[in-house]
Structure formats: C-alpha cells, structure tokens
C-alpha cells in the first residue's frame, strides 16, 4: 500500500473504521486530517493516517485523549 493519497474508502479500511466515520469526522471538525482535491474529491495522506493512529495510543481505558 504505497500510494501518495488514499480515498475515503481506502483510509477507512486502513484505520479499521467505516466510511461514515470519516465523513462524520470531516463534518464535525476533522480529527483525521484530509486533503481536498478540486471541488469534491477528498483524499488522505498516509503520513496523516499514521499520525492519527499514533495520537490514539492509550495505556489505560480510563485515559482521556
């Protein structure tokens, strides 16, 4: 998986979430950074997805973000 940009579907598969999760995230303020290509296309950079995953690491279920 060595692409420069991922579609919403591809990014969702990589993160293990639904497309709807990423669509809601964009609408609500984008915790997962994205790139707007043209007027409609949304893409995700691998480096941003990896950074998002790193920020989600917790050491306890009671740990707050």
């Amino acid at each position: 998986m060595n692409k420069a940009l991922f579609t919403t579907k591809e990014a969702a598969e990589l993160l293990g979430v639904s497309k709807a999760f990423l669509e809601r995230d964009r609408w609500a303020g984008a915790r997962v950074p994205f790139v707007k290509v043209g007027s409609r296309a949304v893409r995700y950079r691998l480096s941003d997805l990896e950074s998002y995953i790193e920020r989600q690491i917790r050491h306890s279920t009671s740990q707050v973000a």
Side-chain angles (χ1 to χ4, degrees):
M1 219 188 258
N2 212 359
K3 288 175 59 177
L5 296 174
F6 292 83
T7 64
T8 301
K9 180 181 179 186
E10 293 167 332
E13 289 173 0
L14 184 96
L15 294 173
V17 299
S18 67
K19 281 179 50 181
F21 173 87
L22 291 175
E23 291 162 353
R24 280 191 308 271
D25 182 66
R26 290 194 307 265
W27 179 81
R31 293 176 298 186
V32 182
F34 64 93
V35 177
K36 190 85 182 261
V37 181
S39 62
R40 299 188 74 182
V42 172
R43 299 292 183 263
Y44 294 87
R45 296 184 303 186
L46 179 58
S47 60
D48 289 333
L49 297 172
E50 291 172 334
S51 292
Y52 173 76
I53 291 168
E54 288 298 314
R55 290 192 311 269
Q56 301 313 304
I57 294 174
R58 303 291 185 267
H59 298 284
S60 168
T61 56
S62 63
Q63 186 176 350
V64 195

